[in-house]
């Protein structure tokens, strides 16, 4: 484990360095508080630190105060080294953000023992962070495909539409449905069906940019949200997605299966309403039209066509 030593006394710093290197630590040694803060602020900076109380430019408690302001980086366990022994000084150091303190002259065995305690605390912290992130992932992602679940992808779409409206941009919305997916489950079993869904999720992610959003909207339905797009490219991008799904066949434990997807597409620019429910309803109408036109194709939702359909009473129905 990396450990930072900050001490302006050269002899004390070298003695600490040799002691810790014998214990297997990867030691970084600096001679003032400013350099200590720079090292501890690095993305891959040390997680353990031994700071002398009195240092030039920034003292030990000052370094503690600055590090504790950095809420986004992993926790750093800090031990203050000081010749001060009064309770008031100890309280001052701990309130500044130190986790422990050691009075000079320090005993090597006690020093190592306190650092081992610090390591155990950091390990516990890491396990808690991992558990929290696991729970967060489970709450926001579909367990089968690891895509965003329906609640999250719809929320992301709503946020993106709101941002688009403020910035006069364009969001492309794609609602895709696998063609005849019921036949896959009925003919090959749900385990193979799950294999297909996982592979389709992988292909969808591969077909969009890293800052676009993909979510599982329903059983075999997927919602794709493309940010900051040229509205004239909506059909081109949708055709790229459709082609990425259709070719090559999906490899399963029962052999290769040809899978296709129909897509309803909407470019948000030009629509009077930016309400997520209405946008999704229009994309769904376009998807229904793609199914009606023979599947494995893309249809674009258009404001004028949408108004005509509503006047004619044409509404989306079930599709496979």
């Amino acid at each position: 484990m990396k450990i930072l030593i900050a001490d302006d006394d050269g002899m004390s710093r070298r003695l600490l360095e040799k002691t810790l290197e014998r214990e297997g630590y990867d030691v970084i040694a600096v001679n003032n508080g400013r350099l200590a803060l720079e090292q501890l602020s690095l993305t891959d900076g040390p997680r353990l630190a031994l700071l002398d109380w009195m240092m030039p430019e920034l003292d030990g408690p000052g370094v503690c105060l600055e590090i504790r302001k950095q809420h986004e980086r992993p926790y750093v366990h800090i031990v203050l080294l000081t010749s001060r022994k009064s309770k008031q000084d100890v309280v001052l150091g701990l309130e500044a953000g130190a986790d422990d303190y050691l009075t000079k002259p320090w005993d090597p065995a006690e020093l190592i023992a306190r650092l081992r305690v610090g390591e155990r605390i950091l390990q516990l912290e890491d396990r808690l962070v991992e558990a929290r992130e696991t729970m967060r992932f489970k709450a926001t992602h579909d367990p089968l495909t690891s895509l965003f679940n329906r609640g999250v992808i719809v929320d992301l779409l709503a946020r993106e539409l709101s941002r688009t409206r403020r910035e006069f941009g364009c969001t492309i919305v794609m609602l895709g449905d696998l063609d005849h997916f019921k036949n896959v489950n009925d003919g090959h079993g749900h385990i193979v069906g799950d294999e297909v869904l996982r592979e389709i999720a992988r292909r969808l992610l591969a077909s969009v940019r890293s800052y676009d959003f993909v979510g599982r909207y329903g059983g075999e339905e997927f919602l794709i949200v493309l940010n900051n797009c040229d509205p004239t490219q909506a059909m081109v991008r949708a055709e790229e997605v459709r082609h990425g799904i259709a070719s090559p066949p999906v490899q399963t434990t029962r052999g290769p299966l040809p899978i296709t997807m129909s897509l309803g597409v909407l470019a948000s620019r030009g629509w009077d309403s930016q309400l997520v429910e209405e946008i999704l309803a229009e994309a769904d109408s376009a998807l229904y039209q793609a199914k009606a036109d023979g599947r494995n194709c893309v249809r674009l939702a258009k404001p004028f066509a949408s108004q005509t359909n509503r006047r004619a009473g044409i509404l989306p129905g079930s599709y496979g």
Side-chain angles (χ1 to χ4, degrees):
M1 176 174 280
K2 287 183 183 179
I3 185 168
L4 175 76
I5 298 170
D7 194 330
D8 60 328
D9 184 281
M11 183 175 294
S12 176
R13 189 171 61 251
R14 285 191 294 273
L15 181 58
L16 281 168
E17 193 171 357
K18 294 297 183 184
T19 300
L20 296 177
E21 284 178 345
R22 283 197 299 268
E23 294 295 324
Y25 288 100
D26 181 8
V27 180
I28 300 172
V30 297
N31 61 6
N32 66 64
R34 179 184 58 80
L35 292 175
L37 180 60
E38 288 179 3
Q39 287 293 327
L40 294 174
S41 300
L42 296 174
T43 303
D44 60 344
R47 302 280 305 280
L48 278 174
L50 279 172
L51 307 179
D52 190 29
W53 187 299
M54 299 299 297
M55 290 186 293
E57 300 194 40
L58 191 64
D59 63 12
V63 175
C64 292
L65 286 169
E66 292 302 316
I67 286 298
R68 297 311 179 216
K69 294 177 183 178
Q70 301 177 7
H71 302 295
E72 299 302 318
R73 65 148 295 146
Y75 192 79
V76 180
H77 187 86
I78 301 174
V79 180
L80 281 178
L81 294 173
T82 178
S83 56
R84 304 183 180 196
K85 298 182 181 180
S86 72
K87 293 296 183 183
Q88 287 182 328
D89 287 331
V90 171
V91 170
L92 180 64
L94 294 175
E95 288 184 342
D99 297 284
D100 201 355
Y101 73 97
L102 199 58
T103 56
K104 296 179 178 180
W106 44 269
D107 177 74
E110 182 182 7
L111 171 63
I112 299 304
R114 289 179 181 269
L115 292 178
R116 298 297 189 223
V117 171
E119 287 188 58
R120 292 197 295 271
I121 291 172
L122 290 176
Q123 289 169 0
L124 177 60
E125 167 78 10
D126 290 345
R127 287 199 293 270
L128 289 173
V129 170
E130 183 180 358
R132 182 188 66 199
E133 292 304 312
T134 298
M135 292 176 64
R136 180 181 299 171
F137 186 88
K138 288 181 177 179
T140 57
H141 289 71
D142 172 61
L144 177 64
T145 63
S146 294
L147 298 176
F148 289 123
N149 61 31
R150 178 171 179 143
V152 171
I153 190 64
V154 171
D155 181 64
L156 289 171
L157 172 59
R159 293 170 185 265
E160 183 60 22
L161 290 172
S162 178
R163 187 193 63 78
T164 295
R165 183 166 58 250
R166 291 194 309 271
E167 300 177 4
F168 304 101
C170 178
T171 297
I172 293 177
V173 183
M174 301 183 194
L175 191 58
D177 183 82
L178 297 184
D179 298 322
H180 302 298
F181 185 70
K182 185 177 184 298
N183 294 344
V184 175
N185 282 331
D186 291 347
H188 303 280
H190 287 276
I191 292 178
V192 171
D194 289 348
E195 292 176 16
V196 169
L197 290 173
R198 283 192 289 267
E199 173 60 16
I200 294 303
R202 188 195 67 77
R203 293 186 184 188
L204 287 174
L205 288 173
S207 67
V208 301
R209 301 162 299 183
S210 60
Y211 50 87
D212 294 325
F213 307 128
V214 181
R216 188 179 180 189
Y217 191 67
E220 61 268 21
E221 287 184 272
F222 299 88
L223 180 59
I224 305 153
V225 181
L226 305 184
N227 309 306
N228 299 316
C229 286
D230 180 349
T232 64
Q233 295 297 304
M235 289 296 285
V236 173
R237 294 291 292 113
E239 283 292 348
E240 291 173 353
V241 171
R242 184 193 64 79
H243 179 75
I245 297 300
S247 179
V250 174
Q251 297 296 325
T252 73
T253 53
R254 295 288 186 90
L257 293 179
I259 301 294
T260 62
M261 174 180 279
S262 301
L263 293 113
V265 184
L266 180 146
S268 66
R269 185 180 296 174
W271 290 83
D272 293 335
S273 174
Q274 295 281 330
L275 293 177
V276 65
E277 296 84 0
E278 296 180 9
I279 292 295
L280 285 172
E282 300 296 351
D284 190 54
S285 295
L287 171 59
Y288 177 70
Q289 189 62 54
K291 292 289 186 178
D293 290 345
R295 298 177 175 81
N296 190 25
C297 62
V298 177
R299 293 296 178 263
L300 180 67
K302 299 178 180 179
F304 177 76
S306 174
Q307 294 168 6
T308 302
N309 286 342
R310 279 198 293 270
R311 284 196 297 267
I314 299 174
L315 299 173
S318 60
Y319 38 72

